[in-house]
């Protein structure tokens, strides 16, 4: 179930569009934000709002990298594995993150805060190696900077980027 | 003495923040739009862009004016302009820098394109990792709207046009024009080839223009200063305008540098990017991101321009230069790039969906000491066959492999004969974890 | 017509032909996966690559994507093309499991064929194969995704072609998964076509799983008998059991596909309780004894009570041979003419429909796909004749307007105009639409008869109707159309509608010189029944039995005691009948009640079977096997009996025509032959349409038995409209067909049983409110014949004042008097 407010907001947004399907990705992002990830229930809600079937929504949801069909933490740390970040990855960022947070790739920390996932080149090549956390770049990483980033995030405990 | 850098696209750059609307206007912004709307017919705008020699900066390098002229005058309405801000080519970050530097320049460029093709609606198609830029654009679009540059009857003319930001769910293939149209329509973003042309049946079956944001950002300057001025900015006869060269890799100052189109590779690396990192020696560079081929030392002085590279058998692409040093294993680098392409393949056609993983598997074995002589002809054949895939994705994916085979076959053979990577460890290979 | 050269051979093809099809015409089968003639070209698999050597295109390209153009020179054997195709098949096999030994597709697998054609053998890829978890897609289609080569055919068939939305492609890259959001039965009633189009063993026939290899089966071209469309099928049998039905291509009727009712409804032929031996009063007897007994009794009754004391009843599901033989039987023995319909009103409607079809307006299903405006009266396609819905959808995809005038909550896999008009007002609405579509100029050019018909029948009866506005809008669209089609049912329409629809088609034809008329009839050979039965009105058979005028009933492949309305009266009638002889292959109620039973053969066992579909097309079917009980039933799961028998177990069934000839011989005392030539000659005397057939008889495809022009004068059969007999405080109950659960043959198939939905009573929201009922309530309907309890479904799209109930075999719908009855609202009660 989604709160009435969110439903009304999404319904209004979809009504405004010339074609409801245009709003599919936005609706999925909004529901993902509410549920924490795009669960089966979220897919069904999206379908109902958009006038699509659950299958049709899932055809889209499972295509995209930033739509999470499995549970993720509050902060999804996408470690860039583009060729430039790879070049600067002797102290492999991904490896360090997993070691520090004591998770494997794709796993969420027990406190529900962090999930570590790879992602393709995030476009921050002039600050390699870099990661993307909830829409925010962290670049020129080394173990110290990674530690600092984790601490900052733990302290902030709020999504970095306002809306998705 | 021509200055090393030229400030056209970056003329309003502010340290550490985007240029504001006021700063943009003070720098002459929105004047080109005003002139065009009040004094020029759409056809004339197209003419100027054609004459300027402007070529697309999204990777394909197609002449922009020609693309705009491709929408017939009698084509249906409504019409759409899509400003492609997807930029997912590994090694490419220039569009992010551009939008962050001067969002209004991009907005004005899009408006001019819309005016030229008589479009009613526009979309900034933007990737998830550029979320902060999506918000920036949304804010600045509001400012432009409030100032009367967007919406109905712009500058009290008959021209009405509005722009929205459309967020992608995140896939490289969305950067392809027909796939992007599918993505906006809420379909699975597969490319569509062999169907009616985008110029007549694109978004919602209507005439659609898709251009990269860097391309669009050039347009206000072409109109303001004239096509000849723009053309003369380039260092080569075939080039036009300036280019945002994003330089990354083993250079001292990675970053995005605006230079005349056709500046030599060596100059870009040494003068703009501060030369190789201390202790490193130049080995090779990718001229335009992961879907281009390695250019070894013999191309160090090549003019970074569409035609010059084509003549040399290479491709400028996005002009995003990735620099490799002699300590970096190019087999491993190619392997990394293949991992990217395999993961991002949309899955529609066989060569891309199945052939690229095969190539990746062979490279993985070579890199991890399990390579065999017989792999080399297979790699060569399969890369060559990628030309016959459904869209341009697979041929692009094959380019680094072809470059490797053409210029660095020895490195491959060393891996095979030594039964290990001669360059040592390259960090934990997490490739298996998510496959 | 462009001329091109393929592999040094020249061919001329119609403009627009793809190179891959041009090659096929030369007998060159260019390898392909994603290309399918019905699904179109995609260009995804890259398997059909050829080299274009000369002409407007040069280089390697996909033959399914390129149109043949004048002067093209194409090579399929060019080395680059061969090398490329070899890689393509190698790539496709990268992840393919070593399933051939256990995969049902083996032996008719396109992937096997193209692996050989691509010369791929030794595996060079050493990586891991990706695997999937399969889903349970319901009773019909098996799902084994590991075998998938991502040709995209299934998604294109299911979504683009058929219009259903619960199966698609999820994930990306080589992980792409074709399936549903979650496990569950596929919603499309055409899902079985996935089995035919899938080039590997991802989607296979679940009921036929592991029954055998292609080469083990006895296969023959046959016909689907589960509605009047006459779709072509190929049946497979093994060990005397019909194992599987596949679609067979007919470019004008069903194209490449069939519906699930046709695909899985065949198992009535293997029903364990199917009558296999002659019986007298329930006891198995020898054939000779049964014949002797029956002949004797019939002769005795005829001599005592007169020839009209014996009535013969056939059906619309019998072959033409059987129907003709029943007529001959009556003729030879001087009995009254046979009937082929349980319901006299239905007989009237079907005959009117058949009479209206002529060469000017009769169209095939294929031509429906090319229509730009389809106006449908009283048809619920998905439930009555499912493939018609698919044909309409193809027209929709090309931009056609489709409007459905029907009181039922019709649902179709495309956008259409639903006008929920009650049966009694359908004609008003049709007339209103026509009125709005014909301009004065158009009328001026028409014949006097047409204009008279328009003035007296159409204009006068064009409303008022609550749908006036919609009728006007539709009429305007109809006016602009160039290839309109009128579709008309014979089940949920009143007596006059078939004639009216036919006359309207003639009006459209007069105005536009191109118009189509398409009827849906109540059975695979209803057309034949209409042609064979005489042109006279007869007294209802039940009345005559009750009055004692009929003392003996010979029933041939019909089930009056099971499938007729007025069940109570029919049951009582059993007591008055002196003799009930039933010839059938179904374990029906009539067979159960019969005094004498003669087992007949199904279409799968009978040689010389022809059926006439709803457009008048005569089609032929061949037997799959020689008849007899399936070996699995004889041996009950263990090894077949080791003793040799002289006869096939359960093999006494004979063709109905043969049995009737034998009976006639026994009664008349002389031998009567059953040769085909006699058949056609006899037919020619009865129906002029058959004259042509009798002169040039050959077993070619689809001769259409309609005259060039109707014998009666155009528009001369227009009748005054019927008044709505429904009272104010009454609801009209419609007893309707459903895709699964009502059709006479498939209700005996254990495969389609699994797809049946429980029957619901459906009514409009407003009516439910008025009656104080809500969705989900259990209600009882009380009528003179009895009571029926059923669950209620409330929807928006039913016509007001109408209740819809399927003639589902699980409920006693036969208690009602007619398929359309008035029910006083106080007889509709909610149950606690």
């Amino acid at each position: 179930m989604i709160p009435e407010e969110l439903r009304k907001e999404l319904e209004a947004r979809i009504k405004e569009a010339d074609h409801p399907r245009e709003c599919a990705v936005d609706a999925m992002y909004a529901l993902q934000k509410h549920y924490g990830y795009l669960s089966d229930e979220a897919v069904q809600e999206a379908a109902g709002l958009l006038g699509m079937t659950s299958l049709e929504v899932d055809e889209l949801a499972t295509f995209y990298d930033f739509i999470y069909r499995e549970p993720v933490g509050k902060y999804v740390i996408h470690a860039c594995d583009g060729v430039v970040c790879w070049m600067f990855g002797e102290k492999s960022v991904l490896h360090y993150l997993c070691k520090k947070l004591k998770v494997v790739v794709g796993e969420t920390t027990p406190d529900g805060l962090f999930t570590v996932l790879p992602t393709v080149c995030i476009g921050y090549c002039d600050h390699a190696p870099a990661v993307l956390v909830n829409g925010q770049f962290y670049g020129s990483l080394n173990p110290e900077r990674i530690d600092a980033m984790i601490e900052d995030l733990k302290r902030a405990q709020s999504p970095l980027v306002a809306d998705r | 003495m021509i200055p090393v850098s030229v400030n056209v696209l970056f003329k309003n750059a502010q340290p550490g923040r985007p240029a504001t609307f006021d700063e943009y206007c003070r720098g002459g912004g929105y004047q080109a739009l005003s002139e065009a709307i009040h004094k020029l017919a759409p056809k004339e705008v197209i003419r100027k862009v054609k004459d300027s020699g402007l070529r697309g900066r999204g990777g394909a390098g197609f002449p922009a004016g020609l693309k705009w002229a491709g929408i017939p005058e009698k084509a249906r309405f409504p019409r759409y302009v899509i400003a492609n801000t997807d930029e997912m080519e590994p090694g490419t970050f220039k569009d992010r820098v551009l939008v962050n530097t001067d969002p209004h320049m991009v907005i004005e460029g899009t408006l001019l394109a819309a005016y030229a093709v008589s479009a009613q609606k526009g979309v900034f198609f933007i990737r998830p990792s550029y979320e902060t830029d999506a918000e920036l654009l949304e804010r600045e679009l509001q400012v432009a709207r409030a100032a009367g540059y967007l919406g109905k009857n712009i500058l009290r003319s008959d021209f009405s046009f509005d722009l929205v930001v459309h967020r992608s769910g995140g896939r490289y293939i969305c950067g392809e024009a027909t796939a992007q149209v599918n993505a906006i329509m809420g379909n699975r973003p597969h490319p569509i080839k062999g169907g009616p042309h985008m110029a007549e049946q694109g978004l919602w079956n209507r005439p659609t223009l898709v251009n990269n944001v860097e391309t669009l950002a050039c347009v206000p300057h072409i109109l303001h200063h004239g096509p000849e001025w723009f053309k003369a900015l380039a260092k080569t006869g075939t080039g036009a305008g300036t280019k945002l060269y994003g330089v990354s890799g083993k250079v001292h100052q990675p970053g995005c540098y605006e230079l005349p189109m056709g500046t030599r590779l060596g100059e870009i690396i040494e003068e703009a990017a501060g030369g190789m990192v201390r202790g490193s020696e130049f080995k090779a560079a990718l001229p335009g991101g992961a879907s281009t081929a390695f250019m070894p030392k013999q191309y160090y002085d090549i003019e970074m321009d569409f035609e010059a590279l084509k003549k040399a058998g290479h491709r400028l692409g996005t002009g995003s230069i990735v620099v490799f040093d002699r300590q970096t294993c190019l087999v491993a680098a190619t392997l990394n790039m293949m991992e990217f392409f395999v993961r991002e393949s949309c899955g529609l056609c066989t060569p891309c969906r199945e052939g690229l993983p095969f190539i990746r598997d062979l490279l993985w074995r070579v890199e991890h000491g399990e390579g065999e002589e017989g792999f080399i002809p297979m790699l060569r054949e399969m890369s060559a066959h990628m030309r016959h895939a459904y869209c341009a994705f697979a041929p692009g994916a094959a380019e680094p492999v072809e470059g490797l085979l053409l210029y660095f076959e020895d490195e491959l053979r060393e891996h095979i004969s030594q039964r290990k990577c001669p360059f040592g460890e390259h960090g934990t290979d997490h490739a298996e974890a998510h496959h | 017509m462009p001329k091109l050269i393929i592999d040094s051979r020249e061919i001329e093809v119609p403009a627009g032909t793809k190179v891959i099809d041009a090659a096929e015409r030369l007998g060159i089968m260019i390898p392909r996966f994603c290309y399918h003639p019905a699904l179109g070209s995609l260009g995804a698999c890259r398997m059909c690559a050829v080299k274009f050597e000369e002409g407007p295109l040069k280089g390697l390209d996909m033959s399914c994507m390129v149109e043949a153009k004048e002067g093209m020179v194409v090579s399929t054997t060019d080395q680059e093309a061969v090398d490329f195709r070899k890689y393509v098949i190698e790539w496709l096999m990268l992840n393919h499991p070593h399933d051939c030994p256990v995969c049902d597709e083996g032996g008719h697998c396109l992937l096997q064929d193209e692996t050989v054609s691509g010369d791929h053998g030794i595996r060079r890829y050493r990586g891991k194969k990706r695997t999937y978890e399969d889903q349970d897609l319901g009773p019909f289609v098996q799902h084994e995704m590991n075998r998938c080569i991502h040709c995209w055919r299934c998604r294109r068939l299911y979504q683009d072609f058929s219009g259903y939305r619960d199966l698609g492609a999820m994930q990306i890259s080589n992980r792409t998964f074709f399936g549903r959001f979650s496990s569950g039965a596929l919603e499309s009633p055409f899902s079985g076509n996935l089995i035919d189009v899938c080039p590997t063993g991802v989607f296979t026939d679940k009921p036929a799983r592991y029954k055998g290899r292609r080469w083990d089966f006895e296969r023959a071209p046959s016909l689907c008998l589960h509605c009047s469309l006459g779709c072509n099928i190929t049946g497979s049998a093994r060990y005397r059991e019909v194992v599987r039905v596949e679609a067979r291509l007919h470019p004008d009727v069903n194209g490449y596909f069939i519906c699930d009712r046709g695909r899985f409804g065949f198992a009535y032929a293997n029903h364990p309780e199917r009558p296999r031996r002659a019986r007298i009063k329930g006891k198995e007897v020898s054939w000779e004894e049964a014949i002797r007994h029956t002949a004797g009794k019939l002769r005795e009754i005829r001599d005592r009570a007169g020839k009209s004391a014996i009535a013969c009843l056939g059906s619309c599901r019998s072959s033409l041979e059987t129907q003709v033989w029943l007529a001959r039987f009556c003729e030879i023995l001087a009995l009254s003419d046979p009937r082929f319909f349980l319901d006299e009103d239905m007989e009237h409607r079907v005959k009117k429909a058949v009479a209206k079809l002529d060469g000017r307006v009769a169209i095939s299903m294929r031509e429906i796909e090319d229509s730009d405006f389809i106006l449908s009266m009283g048809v619920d396609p998905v439930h009555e004749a499912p493939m018609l819905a698919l044909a309409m959808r193809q027209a929709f995809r090309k931009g056609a307007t489709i409007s459905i005038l029907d009181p039922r909550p019709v649902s179709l896999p495309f956008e259409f105009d639903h006008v929920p008009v009650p049966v009694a007002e359908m004609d008003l609405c049709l007339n209103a639409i026509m009125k709005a579509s014909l301009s004065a100029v158009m009328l001026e050019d028409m014949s006097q008869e047409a204009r008279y018909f328009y003035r007296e029948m159409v204009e006068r009866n064009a409303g008022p109707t609550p749908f006036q506005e919609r009728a006007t809008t539709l009429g305007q669209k109809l006016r602009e159309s160039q290839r309109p089609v009128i579709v008309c049912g014979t089940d949920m329409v009143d007596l006059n509608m078939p004639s009216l629809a036919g006359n309207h088609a003639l009006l459209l034809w007069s105005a536009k010189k191109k118009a189509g008329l398409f009827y849906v009839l109540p059975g695979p050979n209803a057309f034949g029944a209409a042609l064979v039965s005489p042109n006279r009105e007869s007294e209802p058979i039940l009345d005559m039995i009750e009055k004692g005028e009929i003392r003996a009933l010979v029933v041939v492949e019909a089930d009056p005691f099971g499938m007729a309305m007025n069940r109570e009266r029919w049951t009582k009638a059993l007591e008055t009948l002196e003799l009930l002889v039933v010839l059938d292959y179904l374990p029906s109620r009539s067979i159960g009640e019969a005094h004498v039973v003669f087992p007949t053969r199904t279409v799968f066992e009978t040689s010389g079977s022809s059926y006439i579909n709803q457009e008048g097309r005569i089609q032929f079917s061949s037997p799959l096997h020689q008849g007899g009980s399936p070996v699995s039933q004889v041996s009950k799961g263990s090894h077949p009996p080791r003793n040799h028998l002289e006869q096939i177990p359960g093999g006494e069934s004979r063709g109905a025509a043969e049995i009737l000839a034998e009976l006639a011989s026994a009664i008349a005392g002389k031998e009567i032959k059953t040769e085909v030539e006699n058949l056609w000659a006899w037919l020619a005397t009865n129906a002029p349409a058959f004259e042509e057939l009798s002169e040039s008889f050959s077993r070619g495809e689809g001769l259409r038995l309609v005259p060039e022009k109707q014998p009666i004068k155009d528009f001369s059969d227009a009748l005054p409209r019927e008044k709505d007999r429904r009272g104010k405080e009454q609801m009209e109950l419609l007893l309707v067909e459903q895709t699964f659960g009502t059709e006479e043959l498939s209700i005996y198939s254990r495969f389609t049983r699994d797809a049946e939905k429980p029957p619901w009573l459906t009514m409009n929201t407003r009516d439910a409110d008025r009656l104080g009922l809500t969705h989900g309530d259990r209600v009882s309907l009380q009528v003179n014949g009895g009571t029926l309890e059923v669950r209620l479904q409330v929807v928006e799209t039913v016509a007001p004042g109408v209740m819809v109930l399927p003639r589902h075999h699980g409920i006693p719908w036969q208690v009602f008097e007619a398929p359309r009855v008035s029910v006083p609202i106080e007889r509709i009660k909610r149950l606690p």
Side-chain angles (χ1 to χ4, degrees), chain B residues 292-362:
Chain B
T292 54
F294 297 108
M295 293 202 303
K297 193 75 199 239
Q298 73 225 57
Y299 294 103
Y300 199 68
D301 287 319
I302 198 168
E303 293 156 324
M304 291 293 281
D305 157 290
F306 291 106
E307 285 305 307
L309 258 74
K310 188 165 165 210
K311 240 205 246 166
H314 282 268
R315 207 167 66 82
L316 181 66
T318 54
S320 305
I321 301 162
V322 180
V323 179
F324 298 90
D325 69 358
R326 299 204 71 86
Q327 283 118 296
T328 305
C329 174
L330 292 186
V331 174
T334 310
L335 174 62
N336 169 280
M337 288 188 273
M338 289 316 294
E339 296 284 3
F340 163 77
F341 288 113
V342 164
R343 192 191 308 164
E344 295 296 303
S345 165
C346 81
L348 188 69
C349 80
T350 310
C352 183
R353 187 187 65 240
E354 312 286 355
L356 295 182
F358 201 159
I359 293 175
R360 185 261 307 227
D361 181 79
L362 294 175

Side-chain angles (χ1 to χ4, degrees), chain B residues 84-402:
Chain B
N84 193 339
T85 327
D86 200 42
E87 188 168 70
M88 285 186 71
E89 185 75 54
T92 310
F93 53 97
K94 61 173 176 74
D95 294 337
R96 166 178 63 82
V97 174
L98 174 63
V99 169
N100 239 284
T101 302
D102 203 340
H104 282 278
M105 190 178 292
V106 172
I107 293 173
E108 189 183 1
T110 312
L111 271 159
L112 283 164
Y115 180 73
V117 300
S118 304
Q120 286 66 47
K121 289 191 172 174
V123 176
F124 274 108
F125 187 88
I126 192 156
R127 61 176 301 188
S129 69
Y130 290 1
E131 178 55 28
T132 43
D133 295 318
E135 289 169 9
L136 170 65
L137 278 169
E138 280 178 328
R139 280 196 303 273
E140 297 307 322
L141 283 170
Q142 238 337 86
V143 172
R145 233 169 257 128
Y149 288 113
L150 282 171
K152 284 201 165 2
N153 304 111
I154 297 170
L155 300 178
R156 270 158 284 130
S157 72
D158 285 332
F159 175 53
S160 301
F161 179 75
D162 210 337
L163 260 176
V164 295
V165 170
H166 183 102
R167 287 164 170 78
S168 169
R171 275 298 170 206
Y172 174 66
I173 191 65
C174 292
E176 200 273 347
T178 57
Q180 191 159 112
V181 161
N182 261 331
I184 295 173
M185 296 198 288
N187 296 332
R188 272 172 73 93
H190 294 287
I192 302 183
K193 297 291 175 188
H197 206 264
M198 187 86 76
E200 300 207 54
Q201 283 185 49
L203 189 57
W204 306 117
N205 252 334
R206 292 288 187 274
T208 304
L209 180 67
V210 182
N211 270 129
N212 175 265
V213 284
E214 188 190 345
T215 315
L216 292 167
C218 294
V219 179
H221 305 285
I222 292 171
L223 288 174
H224 202 56
H225 299 288
E228 295 73 30
W229 170 88
F230 185 80
K231 212 169 194 312
L233 287 172
K235 280 210 163 145
T236 54
T238 53
T242 59
K243 180 77 186 75
L244 296 182
Y245 294 104
V247 190
S248 61
K250 292 299 173 79
V251 292
H252 216 78
Q253 281 150 229
C256 184
Y257 302 103
E258 185 178 12
L259 294 163
M261 175 70 86
T263 308
R264 294 180 191 280
L265 176 63
E267 245 181 85
I268 300 173
I269 291 174
E270 286 167 21
E271 316 255 352
M276 299 297 292
V277 161
R278 195 150 50 118
S280 301
E281 214 185 303
F282 179 89
K283 183 174 180 182
L286 296 169
S291 63
T292 54
F294 297 108
M295 293 202 303
K297 193 75 199 239
Q298 73 225 57
Y299 294 103
Y300 199 68
D301 287 319
I302 198 168
E303 293 156 324
M304 291 293 281
D305 157 290
F306 291 106
E307 285 305 307
L309 258 74
K310 188 165 165 210
K311 240 205 246 166
H314 282 268
R315 207 167 66 82
L316 181 66
T318 54
S320 305
I321 301 162
V322 180
V323 179
F324 298 90
D325 69 358
R326 299 204 71 86
Q327 283 118 296
T328 305
C329 174
L330 292 186
V331 174
T334 310
L335 174 62
N336 169 280
M337 288 188 273
M338 289 316 294
E339 296 284 3
F340 163 77
F341 288 113
V342 164
R343 192 191 308 164
E344 295 296 303
S345 165
C346 81
L348 188 69
C349 80
T350 310
C352 183
R353 187 187 65 240
E354 312 286 355
L356 295 182
F358 201 159
I359 293 175
R360 185 261 307 227
D361 181 79
L362 294 175
L363 284 172
W364 191 93
R365 282 170 207 282
V366 169
E367 174 60 15
H368 290 81
E370 294 169 28
E372 290 171 24
E373 288 278 321
F375 289 3
I376 295 180
M378 283 167 71
L379 285 167
R380 193 165 274 132
E381 285 161 17
M382 287 199 273
S383 310
H385 282 314
M386 289 304 151
R387 266 183 297 143
H388 303 301
Y390 188 73
C391 77
F393 181 113
E399 284 203 39
V401 183
E402 290 186 306

Side-chain angles (χ1 to χ4, degrees), chain A residues 13 16-26 29 52 56 58-67 79-92 94-96 105 117-128 132 134-137 160-164, chain B residues 80 88-93 96-97 121 127-132 135 165-171 173-174 183-190 204 247-251 254-256 286 290 322-325 328-329 332-333 336-337 340 343-344 346 426-428 430 433-434:
Chain A
R13 187 118 129 247
E16 233 178 68
D18 290 335
H19 309 88
R21 275 187 91 119
E22 260 174 55
C23 306
V25 173
D26 285 339
Y29 276 145
M52 292 163 68
E56 288 167 344
D58 219 10
E59 284 192 305
L60 301 180
T62 54
F63 191 92
Y64 290 116
D65 202 17
F66 285 80
I67 305 279
C80 175
D81 59 14
V83 67
V84 182
C85 288
W86 165 82
M87 224 192 291
F88 288 92
E90 295 98 348
K91 316 276 190 294
S92 172
L94 192 64
H95 181 70
Y96 186 77
V105 170
L117 284 171
T119 193
V120 299
C121 176
I122 56 179
Y124 209 50
C125 319
D126 47 349
H127 301 279
L132 185 76
N134 292 27
Q136 190 78 26
F137 292 116
L160 296 170
V161 182
D163 259 279
R164 173 149 338 159
Chain B
Y80 299 92
M88 285 186 71
E89 185 75 54
T92 310
F93 53 97
R96 166 178 63 82
V97 174
K121 289 191 172 174
R127 61 176 301 188
S129 69
Y130 290 1
E131 178 55 28
T132 43
E135 289 169 9
V165 170
H166 183 102
R167 287 164 170 78
S168 169
R171 275 298 170 206
I173 191 65
C174 292
I184 295 173
M185 296 198 288
N187 296 332
R188 272 172 73 93
H190 294 287
W204 306 117
V247 190
S248 61
K250 292 299 173 79
V251 292
C256 184
L286 296 169
V322 180
V323 179
F324 298 90
D325 69 358
T328 305
C329 174
N336 169 280
M337 288 188 273
F340 163 77
R343 192 191 308 164
E344 295 296 303
C346 81
H426 289 281
T428 316
H430 64 267
H434 55 87

Side-chain angles (χ1 to χ4, degrees), chain C residues 447-650:
Chain C
S447 69
Q448 204 183 36
E449 291 83 14
R451 274 181 281 137
Y452 180 83
F453 168 71
Y454 178 79
R455 271 198 329 269
E456 297 301 312
M457 300 308 302
V458 180
E459 241 184 354
R460 283 241 181 111
N461 299 308
T465 139
F467 304 105
Q468 206 59 48
E469 222 182 280
R470 295 182 68 182
T472 313
T473 323
L474 287 169
Q476 278 157 4
K477 277 215 188 110
L478 178 55
R479 182 189 291 214
E480 287 153 17
S481 74
Q482 294 175 327
R483 297 175 302 281
V485 165
I486 291 188
V487 172
C488 180
T490 44
D491 192 20
M492 286 297 135
V493 294
D494 68 16
L495 226 46
N496 293 335
M497 181 52 75
S499 300
L500 184 66
N503 286 328
H504 276 289
L506 277 178
L507 259 189
L508 285 173
W509 184 84
S510 309
K512 297 171 194 277
K513 292 297 166 271
K514 200 171 166 64
L517 180 59
F518 191 96
Y519 289 105
V520 175
L521 303 180
N525 203 9
F527 199 107
L531 286 184
V532 174
S533 58
N535 260 328
R536 47 104 194 97
E537 301 284 326
S538 44
E539 203 183 333
I541 196 170
L542 200 49
D543 291 353
M544 291 181 75
I545 297 177
E546 284 170 345
K547 280 196 262 180
E549 288 168 21
I550 291 176
R551 313 217 56 88
L553 190 57
V554 178
V555 177
V556 179
E557 293 177 349
D559 185 14
F561 298 95
M563 299 294 283
M565 319 224 64
N566 289 297
R567 173 166 280 191
E568 213 183 305
R569 289 175 64 196
W570 275 100
T571 312
K572 280 219 179 74
L574 268 174
E575 295 157 25
T576 57
L577 281 173
E578 285 180 41
L579 178 67
L580 174 63
V581 184
V582 180
L583 283 65
D584 208 344
Y585 45 80
L586 293 175
S588 65
R589 183 157 182 251
S590 300
I591 284 276
E593 303 286 357
H595 302 148
V596 186
V597 169
F598 288 99
T600 60
R601 292 177 176 220
T602 66
V603 66
F604 303 114
E605 304 144 28
T606 317
S607 42
S609 279
S610 48
Y611 297 81
I612 309 177
N613 78 351
Q614 48 67 241
E615 62 166 309
R617 186 184 296 261
I618 184 165
Q619 301 186 105
F620 305 101
S621 77
S622 298
L624 310 185
H625 66 103
Q626 59 205 350
S629 300
V631 171
S632 58
Q633 284 173 19
V634 170
S635 49
K636 304 228 184 322
S638 59
H639 192 282
R642 287 183 165 83
N643 46 314
H644 291 274
L645 305 167
E646 299 274 305
Q647 314 239 317
I648 296 169

Side-chain angles (χ1 to χ4, degrees), chain A residues 100-145:
Chain A
K100 176 165 177 77
L101 297 168
K102 296 198 188 57
V103 290
V104 297
V105 170
E107 199 184 345
T108 306
T109 52
D111 58 9
L113 274 184
F114 301 105
T115 306
V116 180
L117 284 171
T119 193
V120 299
C121 176
I122 56 179
Y124 209 50
C125 319
D126 47 349
H127 301 279
V131 301
L132 185 76
V133 185
N134 292 27
Q136 190 78 26
F137 292 116
Y138 290 87
S140 307
L141 295 175
N142 52 35
E144 293 77 44
R145 293 179 108 146

